Amino acid sequence: MAIIVNTNMSALKTQRNLNDATNGMNKALERMSTGYKINSAKDDAANMYIATNLDVQISGSKVAKSNISTAANMLSIAEGDLDVMLDNVTRIRDLTVQYANGIYDADSQKAMTDEITARLSEIDRIAESSNFNGKKLLDGSMGDVRLQVGANADEAANCVTIDEAIFSDFHSTELGLDSTQITTNYANATAAAAYLDTIDTAIDTINTAKAAIGATGNRLDAATESLTTTIENMTAAHSTIMDADIAEESANYVQQQILQQTASSLLVQANALPQIALTLIQ
């Protein structure tokens, strides 16, 4: 083996190994400190691309899930107000049945129609006041409501439309319960009895809207469950790509630390090899 002074190949190779061990230690330290095995695109460009897309989908799905919760709250408000309306219409029906009995004097009949008039006014007040985030729910101005229930643009897969029938005009006149017709509708016991059909139609209208709210609520629950599953699965995929195995990285760190220490010791010896040439010229 030649004895060379100018180029110490043993030292160069040992120094390279020392650098590799140091870089390996630094990489293991970075992964353990961040919890990620991919910390920049140079670590794994392809998987970084996939993980970034998963991040976008997870974030968008969480917002869509929040959209559904907000819509469910809106439907709950509408249903609650419809319940109060239904209570009022039911009370009007009870009073009408009572009026139709035909045994009450004029004062008693007036007391009944006064309460009926008050109940109709309360129905109108609720129709005007029912709102969510400034949008009126029961005065007929709402129209169809589009819900974004997915993270992407495709309409069929990411949108649910709440039919405007749920948000119809529920003023008393639209329900057929016109307070200006009290005198006619309660002209006598027979007229009051005939008016029960109109009241029953109003009750059916409210119940139909409540049933539609229930069906829509069930659909939104299903959409929430689907999103929850999607988020869980995408999070698991993201974790597989990005998350570091701390046990593995700690073992790698110890391994590279030992190699670094070994290379450091050997580098001292490799640097001393050219000194052998001195013995040849003494």
Side-chain angles (χ1 to χ4, degrees):
M1 180 178 183
I3 298 175
I4 299 172
V5 174
N6 288 337
T7 304
N8 189 341
M9 291 304 301
S10 295
L12 291 175
K13 291 180 180 178
T14 304
Q15 186 175 5
R16 175 173 56 80
N17 292 332
L18 176 61
N19 289 334
D20 289 344
T22 301
N23 290 335
M25 284 180 60
N26 291 336
K27 179 63 68 179
L29 279 173
E30 180 183 39
R31 289 176 173 176
M32 286 190 290
S33 63
T34 63
Y36 292 120
K37 61 186 175 184
I38 302 176
N39 291 283
S40 63
K42 68 180 181 179
D43 292 335
D44 189 336
N47 277 331
M48 172 66 84
Y49 179 84
I50 294 172
T52 300
N53 285 337
L54 286 171
D55 270 334
V56 171
Q57 291 297 308
I58 291 169
S59 179
S61 295
K62 287 180 178 178
V63 174
K65 191 175 178 181
S66 178
N67 288 347
I68 295 174
S69 296
T70 302
N73 291 334
M74 178 184 67
L75 290 176
S76 293
I77 290 173
E79 183 177 12
D81 288 339
L82 286 173
D83 283 337
V84 178
M85 282 186 175
L86 185 59
D87 289 342
N88 280 283
V89 177
T90 301
R91 176 57 181 165
I92 289 171
R93 192 183 194 284
D94 290 343
L95 290 167
T96 303
V97 171
Q98 187 177 4
Y99 195 105
N101 199 28
I103 64 171
Y104 296 99
D105 61 17
D107 289 339
S108 298
Q109 290 176 337
K110 183 177 184 306
M112 293 180 211
T113 55
D114 284 348
E115 183 178 349
I116 289 169
T117 300
R119 296 275 181 176
L120 291 174
S121 296
E122 179 61 12
I123 290 171
D124 290 336
R125 187 196 67 78
I126 295 170
E128 283 295 322
S129 64
S130 180
N131 78 89
F132 181 82
N133 194 33
K135 288 184 174 291
K136 292 190 174 184
L137 303 178
L138 303 178
D139 71 346
S141 63
M142 189 74 153
D144 290 340
V145 177
R146 183 188 187 283
L147 300 180
Q148 183 71 19
V149 298
N152 301 302
D154 179 52
E155 193 82 6
N158 296 275
C159 172
V160 169
T161 300
I162 302 179
D163 191 86
E164 62 180 352
I166 292 177
F167 307 110
S168 296
D169 190 342
F170 288 93
H171 284 89
S172 60
T173 52
E174 296 299 322
L175 292 172
L177 308 175
D178 191 349
S179 60
T180 63
Q181 300 297 315
I182 289 291
T183 302
T184 301
N185 295 331
Y186 296 92
N188 50 53
T190 301
Y195 190 49
L196 288 172
D197 286 339
T198 301
I199 298 172
D200 287 342
T201 299
I203 290 174
D204 183 65
T205 298
I206 296 173
N207 278 332
T208 298
K210 283 168 53 64
I213 288 175
T216 302
N218 288 334
R219 183 178 181 183
L220 294 182
D221 286 344
T224 298
E225 291 178 7
S226 176
L227 276 174
T228 299
T229 301
T230 297
I231 291 170
E232 288 177 355
N233 290 337
M234 288 192 296
T235 301
H238 183 274
S239 175
T240 300
I241 294 171
M242 294 294 294
D243 290 346
D245 183 339
I246 301 302
E248 179 182 353
E249 294 304 328
S250 63
N252 289 338
Y253 177 80
V254 171
Q255 178 188 22
Q256 297 301 324
Q257 186 180 46
I258 293 171
L259 290 174
Q260 183 193 51
Q261 293 171 353
T262 301
S264 297
S265 298
L266 292 175
L267 182 58
V268 173
Q269 298 179 35
N271 285 334
L273 288 177
Q275 296 180 6
I276 298 174
L278 292 175
T279 62
L280 301 177
I281 61 178
Q282 288 177 352

